[in-house]
Amino acid sequence: MANAETTLTIATVNNGDMIRMQGLTDDFTKSHPDIKLNWVTMEENVLRQRVTTDITTKGGQFDIMTIGMYETPIWGKNGWLVPLNDLPADYDVNDLLPAMRAGLSYDNTLYAAPFYGESSMVMYRKDLMEKAGLTMPEKPTWEFIRKAAAAMTDRANDINGICLRGKAGWGEGGAFITVLANSFGARWFDENWNAQFDTPEWKQALTFFVDMMKESGPSGYATNGFNENLSLFQQGKCGMWIDATVAASFVTDPSQSTVADKVGFAMAPNHEGVDKRANWLWAWALAIPAGSQKVDAAKQFIEWATSKHYIDLVASKEGWANVPPGARTSLYENPNYKDIPFAKMTLNSINAADPLHPTVKPVPYVGIQFVAIPEFAGIATDVSQEFASVYAGQESVDDALAKAQAMTNDAMSAAGYR
């Protein structure tokens, strides 16, 4: 048991599911009266920076960290995380979706427990699609998406045909442009770790994105990330939004979304003739930094927050549509969940994502919207800043790609990869 009055400091991200968890923690503290919770809630880019600094410097600021599939295997390999290999039988670790469990493990040992899992998919306004005289295919192409976005754009009424991430940060706009590029046949590195930004595929992908957003996207999209686009979509200002499957519960929630009853879902697009969709794979997960003095209490909290019991708790308070998705097999077998309009598309999208084969051409890395090497976060953040300059109209596509090529190769040479 935890010692008297243990306070756990928990670093987390300011998205809807994590905020909801904070509101439900009475359920945990009632059964664990000797554990107090201190939440540190941050915007995504800030969270990544703070937890990375804390773990690499052994700062000890946090007892539990919200991290993802990029950090977990790297930090687990480095011995920076407490292994979660002794969770109790009723936790049912075998119920975790195989993609989530694998992505949060190193050497077959789980180092973070998934709070929710996600891929990416198309969320769209069925009413605006119908008004445009179009029908969304279950598996659209980018060419269809661009045509539909142009047809749905209504500048006079502040409706953008499409809202997409442009915000700098490897896990924000960087993640989105990477999966879009994957679906155009591009890749970050060739098999010898040479950067590939000087290829026709990257030029085509980035040019396509910029042109489509110029035609049909919101002004200022260069600074829009997940939360900004969620807000625009909920206010009825987007015809389509391609982003995390986890957003589905927020855009269909009548208490949050003005278009809740008008939303349809489709698979993430591919470029015509390229057999690769713009699916990513991610989990926001809870982990304990090695060296923590409060491992027992931290494990008890993680068991609660990522359990079947927590899913039932959210369902009882907020309805089945609002439970954390994408982490457990049993959720997708639950008759109460099967009729949720986005459940099947979420699972299909997660299953379509293949981190071992993220690109058309062979690559030396694992990861879809990221490259699972320690140097990636820094490199990709710099590259995403160049791209955000293009979106803001301050730099040409060619210049940004040339800079991305040079800075990536320099960093990879310095790190000894090439």
Side-chain angles (χ1 to χ4, degrees):
M1 278 302 290
N3 298 326
E5 289 294 300
T6 299
T7 298
L8 295 174
T9 299
I10 306 170
T12 195
V13 64
N14 66 341
N15 67 32
D17 282 291
M18 294 301 184
I19 304 291
R20 181 180 285 134
M21 174 169 60
Q22 292 171 44
L24 293 173
T25 48
D26 279 0
D27 180 81
F28 174 78
T29 49
K30 266 185 209 147
S31 55
H32 299 80
D34 46 2
I35 301 176
K36 300 280 177 282
L37 305 174
N38 172 33
W39 293 91
V40 183
T41 308
M42 293 165 269
E43 189 266 327
E44 188 170 317
N45 286 337
V46 178
L47 171 79
R48 293 184 197 284
Q49 211 173 357
R50 287 274 303 276
V51 296
T52 302
T53 302
D54 193 60
I55 204 140
T56 52
T57 60
K58 298 189 167 54
Q61 273 185 292
F62 306 114
D63 303 301
I64 295 173
M65 294 175 162
T66 304
I67 60 175
M69 286 191 171
Y70 167 64
E71 301 92 346
T72 304
I74 296 171
W75 295 1
K77 181 183 180 181
N78 287 350
W80 294 350
L81 300 173
V82 174
L84 300 179
N85 53 1
D86 56 353
L87 293 164
D90 64 356
Y91 179 82
D92 195 2
V93 76
N94 293 325
D95 184 45
L96 300 177
L97 280 172
M100 299 301 149
R101 191 172 171 183
L104 296 169
S105 295
Y106 171 71
D107 204 13
N108 292 324
T109 299
L110 190 71
Y111 281 95
F115 181 69
Y116 68 74
E118 65 179 46
S119 184
S120 42
M121 66 180 175
V122 182
M123 294 162 272
Y124 68 96
R125 289 273 299 278
K126 293 189 282 193
D127 56 330
L128 295 181
M129 190 67 77
E130 196 178 326
K131 192 176 162 191
L134 296 168
T135 304
M136 174 68 82
E138 189 182 326
K139 296 178 174 178
T141 62
W142 279 115
E143 289 71 16
F144 174 84
I145 293 290
R146 184 171 176 178
K147 177 178 138 189
M152 288 196 271
T153 298
D154 180 357
R155 297 288 185 214
N157 289 304
D158 201 14
I159 294 172
N160 309 286
I162 192 157
C163 295
L164 298 170
R165 301 184 189 192
K167 188 179 193 173
W170 71 263
E172 276 279 9
F176 186 83
I177 198 64
T178 295
V179 293
L180 184 144
N182 291 346
S183 69
F184 273 72
R187 54 187 173 165
W188 265 79
F189 299 103
D190 71 10
E191 290 166 285
N192 297 311
W193 293 105
N194 298 305
Q196 295 294 290
F197 293 107
D198 58 354
T199 56
E201 292 89 348
W202 260 107
K203 180 166 182 178
Q204 192 185 8
L206 192 58
T207 303
F208 176 90
F209 177 73
V210 171
D211 289 350
M212 178 170 67
M213 295 304 282
K214 211 176 278 181
E215 293 162 4
S216 309
S219 64
Y221 77 91
T223 55
N224 288 351
F226 174 83
N227 282 335
E228 292 81 5
N229 285 322
L230 171 61
S231 177
L232 286 169
F233 194 95
Q234 289 177 326
Q235 292 167 37
K237 294 182 176 181
C238 305
M240 289 177 287
W241 179 30
I242 301 164
D243 212 301
T245 50
V246 73
S249 69
F250 304 121
V251 297
T252 55
D253 179 352
S255 72
Q256 300 182 47
S257 173
T258 61
V259 295
D261 58 344
K262 300 179 174 73
V263 187
F265 305 96
M267 291 289 281
N270 68 309
H271 175 43
E272 264 169 24
V274 177
D275 188 22
K276 186 65 67 178
R277 296 197 167 270
N279 285 104
W280 66 57
L281 188 68
W282 186 252
W284 277 120
L286 301 176
I288 306 167
S292 166
Q293 305 303 302
K294 301 171 185 174
V295 172
D296 286 350
K299 275 188 183 168
Q300 288 173 55
F301 180 78
I302 289 176
E303 284 164 25
W304 172 82
T306 63
S307 65
K308 294 177 187 176
H309 163 78
Y310 179 81
I311 289 174
D312 291 339
L313 175 69
V314 176
S316 70
K317 304 265 187 197
E318 313 254 352
W320 279 100
N322 293 313
V323 303
R328 287 186 170 270
T329 303
S330 55
L331 179 63
Y332 292 91
E333 294 166 349
N334 186 321
N336 295 308
Y337 198 67
K338 281 186 172 167
D339 295 334
I340 302 295
F342 49 81
K344 192 169 188 301
M345 191 60 72
T346 296
L347 189 61
N348 289 348
S349 300
I350 288 170
N351 288 338
D354 183 359
L356 299 178
H357 305 95
T359 53
V360 174
K361 293 176 181 170
V363 288
Y365 57 85
V366 172
I368 303 179
Q369 76 281 23
F370 59 83
V371 175
I373 57 171
E375 296 77 11
F376 179 76
I379 295 170
T381 295
D382 291 344
V383 168
S384 73
Q385 280 162 350
E386 292 301 327
F387 291 171
S389 297
V390 178
Y391 311 152
Q394 296 158 356
E395 196 174 351
S396 70
V397 166
D398 286 345
D399 284 352
L401 288 171
K403 285 185 188 173
Q405 178 74 8
M407 67 171 63
T408 302
N409 275 340
D410 287 351
M412 294 301 279
S413 295
Y417 285 83
R418 57 191 294 274

